[in-house]
Amino acid sequence: MSERTRAAEPATTLTRDDLGWLTELMDVDSVSPLEGGPLDGAARAQRVFVAGAEARGFKAVLHEAPQPELLERPEVPAPVREAARRDLAGFLAGQPSAVVALGAPQPEERRLVINFHMDTVGPHVAPRLDGRVLYGRGAVDDKGPGIAALAGVAAAFAEDPSLAHRIEVQIASVPGEEGGAMGTYGTRALVDAGYTGRLMVFAEPTGGRFMDACTAAMTPRITVTGEDSTDDHPGDGHNATVALGFLADFLARRLGPLAHGMGAKLCVAGLHTGHAHNRVYGGGELLLNIAYPSAEQAELLAASLEVLLEEARSEFTAAHAQDPFNRRTVRDWRRTVRLDWLKRGLPTLDNRDAEAELLLGRAGFVRHDGMADGSAFTCDAIWAPAPGRYVAVCGPGRLDANGAHTPGEHVHLDDLDDYAHRIKALVHAFATSTD
């Protein structure tokens, strides 16, 4: 059953102006710089977001770039560090967070925070409306859910002006969720600065259900740093293509089932050595991505990977013992094959709160145990949990069904309307719970 058929009463509808604002926002290329996007894409999009929010009565309480010291923390993924190293000032200036709010400032226990991310995956896809279906990058991941949430909050305050004195609702628009950045300079910075609430909703596409647990991910990189040779003398070089191709298959067979048994997910990802047909490439890299449900399992899988790499060396040596074209690769394996980590040590989300779950239920959101069926995914909600807070991941559409991260990314406007309606109901329920 779709989200549209589950709506119990008429949804809060995004107006023509809201839809125009959303398409204007989607038209801004805010592809993450880690995915080849422009350095200032998020900054340009945030200006459009803040202007639209202020036109709807929200007050901008934060609109600033991350501080350089954030990038010095050990959990910051290597691609973030590398992007910042190339142009620190430009990178930071192009990646601001923005927080807009309705209601008088309140302590955390009387504050509801809704978080969405402004950066997208690449490549940029311009918005296109086909009937009631909106296509384009960010339609469902994550500009569409963010604007729908804001429309719902605005509708709640319009219905009951007393909310302005009873609660505060913040909408946090962050960079640095995509491209493996993992929220390390967006959501994490806001949490550290106190932009938190009793209830924190991350507007990610979950089919309208809410999940209160999500994975984190780590990214091992295996490199070969040997010597090239020509096709006339293939045995004179180190063949990184053969070594890394072997490792990709070996780890899929050996580490993959181990990860699956722990409720983790192994993605054997990019492998690159070169493009020419007449050369033995002595250097290259293989990337893996491991999504894990707990820190303990992450450490066990990391240790297992190191053991398996040694077993792989033995198996490769035995398989190529009589192979004249890979003799140097066999002989110099320990010297040329290396493991390092682009991302490691990130926390996971796993929290429960009967009172807050009841509020979400009153607004029409149903809890879903994504860890149990494998539908839980990684997002920057991992930085938000703390005593006294409840963190839920909940938004319209689904990552797979709505083509997130594909050229066909889309969202049905009815689903955005339904989400806006439920957010409106959540605001009312939250206010009642604080009285």
Side-chain angles (χ1 to χ4, degrees), residues 356-381:
E357 291 171 39
L358 183 60
L359 292 180
L360 286 157
R362 287 175 180 166
F365 295 116
V366 177
R367 183 179 181 273
H368 175 68
D369 187 351
M371 289 294 189
D373 67 1
S375 61
F377 52 83
T378 301
C379 72
D380 52 359

Side-chain angles (χ1 to χ4, degrees), residues 239-247 273 281 316 320 323 326 329 333:
N239 200 316
T241 307
V242 174
L244 292 173
F246 169 84
L247 284 169
T273 55
Y281 289 96
F316 185 88
H320 292 276
D323 176 3
N326 286 286
T329 309
W333 180 285

